[in-house]
């Protein structure tokens, strides 16, 4: 059987006394688009942040390409460069132009030459439709534009997996579409993604796998059809009815 | 209070070279003290802001803790005692070993004193930078040092530029306390002029006017630079 890109098992995380993730178990295969859904506070962000090592899990294993990244010997910075992250709040560098945002980590982390980094940055800025803004300060962009640049910035590192944490939740409604368009395009091109989202339409359209989280555990998972047409668990149904009938 | 403006004007003209020599020393102390202090402040605050991380090696953890302790002591001591006292203590403590001149000692003292204030100013500036900036950089694989240097510090400096400029103005005035170790700054020169002609009031009226001119001009220039640093909200390239 094909080896998963990411294999998570027995993953645990708590903040003080608050247990946020319990015994999380799932696999991500190459080209998968995994959508993580669940109500606020169920631990979705924490799970993504554990995969990226922005949070250090308390136990369990996270294997990436067969290597457990929770073992002491890995180079965390090199690892993070392989797993990109797109945040709800964009987190573009405010002291740099759009182009520089996309170049700095390529040069400092991957040690690419300026020319190479610039070529790659321009390529991905074009892909997300932000090429004409390359010299703009990131502070002057709209939310949707910022998020598209943030996606380009993450892609510049040639990540094996891209993690999205509610990438459209901070956007005005009219800007949600432009970001989802870019994400659909990436999904079609075969990029492996884990997406925390409340955009059920997006999940239905592009998810190869849907994971429903509730109170720190995976309550149900399956294909988009399984979860949206025939949810088995009562709490999945309750969650979906709240989201779909609004 | 009887004070003759005519006499003050005479003194200003007659002793202009003395005053100007003093101004040269005062500005030299203020500029070098502020710049060196800024450098010290950036280094101290930058390293202090690198929090101990779970994944740090034992040695790095120990070094970070030691540095945090030493830098806290440094900041508290230099902000908690008068620069005049620091000047006396440091100058005479090292005079026999270093054989330093008052001006060299003066530059050292004003720099290290300013550094303590700058460290606190930069720390506040770093804290004002959104944590998302750091997470964005770390998620791309940048090290904590690279994140600090390329992303956080440039924004922290911008945040705290007004407070840093204020330190410069404070240094123009407070360098005068270094006269206690015979640094020949504007205050010291004024004292010698006043002493030689027995006209304290008029001489120090001239001195006050010169200090005011220096601080006022400086604050105008800093205000101008501050305005220039604001991002242009119109900069939508090619839209
Ligand atoms: N750094 C933190 N310190 C303490 N508690 C946290 C921290 N981050 C998240 N939590 C808590 O963990 C729980 C799960 O949060 P999160 O993973 O952000 O959920 P979700 O993304 O599904 O809304 C929440 O109760 C939240 O308050
Ligand atoms: Mg969240």
């Amino acid at each position: 059987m094909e080896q998963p890109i990411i294999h998570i098992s027995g993953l645990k995380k708590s903040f003080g006394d608050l247990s946020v993730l319990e015994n999380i178990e799932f696999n991500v295969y190459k080209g998968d688009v995994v959508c993580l859904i669940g109500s606020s506070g169920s631990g979705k962000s924490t799970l993504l942040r554990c995969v990226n090592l922005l949070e250090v899990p308390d136990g369990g294993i996270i294997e990436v390409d067969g290597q457990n990244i929770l073992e002491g010997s890995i180079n965390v910075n090199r690892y993070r460069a392989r797993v990109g992250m797109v945040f709800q709040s964009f987190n573009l560098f405010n002291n740099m132009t759009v182009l520089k945002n996309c170049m700095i980590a390529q040069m400092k982390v991957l040690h690419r030459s300026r020319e190479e980094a610039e070529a790659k940055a321009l390529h991905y800025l074009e892909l997300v439709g932000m090429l004409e803004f390359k010299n703009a300060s990131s502070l002057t962009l709209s939310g949707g534009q910022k998020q598209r640049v943030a996606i380009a910035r993450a892609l510049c590192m040639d990540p094996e997996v891209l993690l999205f944490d509610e990438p459209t939740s901070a956007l005005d409604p009219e800007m949600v579409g432009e970001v989802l368009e870019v994400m659909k395009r990436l999904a079609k091109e075969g990029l492996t993604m884990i997406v925390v989202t409340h955009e059920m339409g997006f999940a239905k359209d592009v998810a190869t796998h849907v994971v429903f989280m509730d109170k720190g555990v995976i309550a149900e998972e399956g294909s988009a059809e399984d979860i949206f047409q025939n949810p088995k668990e009562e709490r999945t149904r309750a969650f979906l009815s709240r989201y779909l009938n609004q | 209070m009887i004070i003759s403006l005519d006499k003050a004007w005479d003194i200003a003209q007659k002793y202009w070279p003395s005053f100007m020599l003093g101004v040269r020393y005062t500005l030299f102390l203020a500029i070098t003290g502020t710049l060196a202090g800024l450098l010290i402040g950036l280094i101290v605050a930058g390293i202090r802001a690198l929090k101990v991380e779970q994944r740090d090696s034992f040695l790095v953890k120990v070094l970070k803790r030691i540095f945090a302790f030493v830098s806290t002591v440094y900041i508290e001591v230099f902000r908690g005692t008068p620069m005049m006292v620091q000047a006396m203590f440091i100058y005479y403590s090292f005079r026999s070993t270093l054989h330093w001149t008052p001006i060299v000692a003066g530059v050292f003292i004003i720099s290290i004193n300013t550094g303590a204030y700058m460290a606190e100013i930069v720390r506040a500036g770093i804290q004002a930078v959104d944590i998302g900036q750091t997470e964005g950089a770390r998620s791309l694989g940048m090290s904590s040092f690279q994140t600090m240097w390329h992303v956080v510090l440039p924004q922290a400096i911008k945040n705290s530029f007004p407070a840093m400029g204020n330190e410069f103005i404070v240094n123009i005035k407070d360098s005068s306390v270094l006269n206690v170790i015979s640094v020949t700054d504007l205050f010291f020169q004024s004292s010698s002029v006043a002493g030689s002609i027995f006209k304290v009031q008029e001489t120090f009226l001239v001195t006050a006017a010169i200090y005011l001119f220096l601080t006022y001009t400086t604050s105008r220039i800093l205000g101008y630079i501050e305005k220039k640093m604001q991002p242009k909200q119109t900069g939508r390239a090619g839209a």
Side-chain angles (χ1 to χ4, degrees), chain A residues 101-213:
Chain A
N101 259 281
C102 297
M103 289 170 63
I104 179 93
Q106 292 192 63
M107 288 156 61
K108 300 299 167 191
V109 180
L110 304 179
H111 305 292
R112 288 182 182 150
S113 69
R114 175 172 293 277
E115 293 70 32
E116 198 185 346
E118 183 167 345
K120 187 141 271 207
L122 294 175
H123 170 75
Y124 283 115
L125 283 173
E126 175 157 35
L127 183 87
V128 301
M130 288 297 293
L131 189 55
E132 59 184 341
F133 291 88
K134 65 177 177 168
N135 293 320
S137 153
S138 57
L139 288 170
T140 63
L141 306 178
S142 73
Q145 291 170 332
K146 281 184 185 169
Q147 197 60 298
R148 286 187 280 148
V149 173
I151 293 172
R153 178 175 76 173
L155 289 171
C156 282
M157 305 300 282
D158 296 323
E160 293 160 47
V161 184
L162 201 44
L163 313 175
F164 292 81
D165 191 359
E166 301 197 29
T168 58
S169 295
L171 299 179
D172 293 335
E174 71 270 19
M175 292 171 184
V176 170
E178 65 190 67
V179 172
L180 292 182
E181 269 321 301
V182 169
M183 291 170 64
K184 282 181 185 165
R185 182 124 150 241
L186 297 175
K188 218 178 270 162
E189 289 179 11
L191 182 71
T192 311
M193 314 198 282
I194 306 179
V195 185
V196 173
T197 187
H198 294 300
E199 296 291 334
M200 297 305 156
F202 174 82
K204 275 184 191 163
D205 284 355
V206 297
T208 56
H209 199 75
V210 177
V211 175
F212 170 63
M213 282 184 69

Side-chain angles (χ1 to χ4, degrees), chain B residues 131-169:
Chain B
I131 183 72
Q133 297 286 301
T134 301
E135 294 196 338
R138 298 311 298 272
S139 79
L140 292 164
M142 291 168 73
S143 67
S144 54
F145 179 81
Q146 289 170 333
T147 301
M148 185 54 68
W149 184 252
H150 295 285
V151 177
V152 177
L153 268 189
Q155 297 182 51
I157 291 173
K158 198 163 154 188
N159 289 343
S160 43
F161 184 80
M164 291 170 179
N166 192 49
E167 278 303 299
F168 183 41
I169 291 171

Side-chain angles (χ1 to χ4, degrees), chain A residues 31-57:
Chain A
D32 266 357
V33 178
V34 177
C35 282
L36 271 178
I37 60 174
S39 20
S40 166
S42 56
K44 307 178 299 294
S45 296
T46 306
L47 176 54
L48 275 200
R49 292 165 63 85
C50 281
V51 174
N52 191 272
L53 293 181
L54 282 174
E55 302 289 355
V56 183

Side-chain angles (χ1 to χ4, degrees), chain A residues 5-107:
Chain A
I5 284 196
I6 299 181
H7 166 72
I8 296 176
S9 81
L11 189 70
K12 280 193 300 222
K13 174 73 187 174
S14 43
F15 293 108
D17 289 340
L18 179 70
S19 172
V20 175
L21 296 178
E22 285 163 38
N23 203 20
I24 297 290
E25 191 115 24
F26 77 100
N27 293 325
V28 180
Y29 293 89
K30 196 163 168 40
D32 266 357
V33 178
V34 177
C35 282
L36 271 178
I37 60 174
S39 20
S40 166
S42 56
K44 307 178 299 294
S45 296
T46 306
L47 176 54
L48 275 200
R49 292 165 63 85
C50 281
V51 174
N52 191 272
L53 293 181
L54 282 174
E55 302 289 355
V56 183
D58 299 331
I61 54 175
I62 301 178
E63 274 177 10
V64 178
D65 290 335
Q67 182 194 22
N68 187 359
I69 57 157
L70 302 182
E71 268 161 8
S73 59
I74 76 145
N75 179 333
V76 179
N77 295 328
R78 287 312 278 241
Y79 167 70
R80 287 208 182 103
R82 288 163 50 197
V83 177
M85 180 108 172
V86 174
F87 301 85
Q88 181 175 347
S89 52
F90 329 121
N91 297 348
L92 289 187
F93 305 135
N94 293 331
N95 58 324
M96 299 178 196
T97 62
V98 164
L99 184 61
K100 192 77 194 295
N101 259 281
C102 297
M103 289 170 63
I104 179 93
Q106 292 192 63
M107 288 156 61

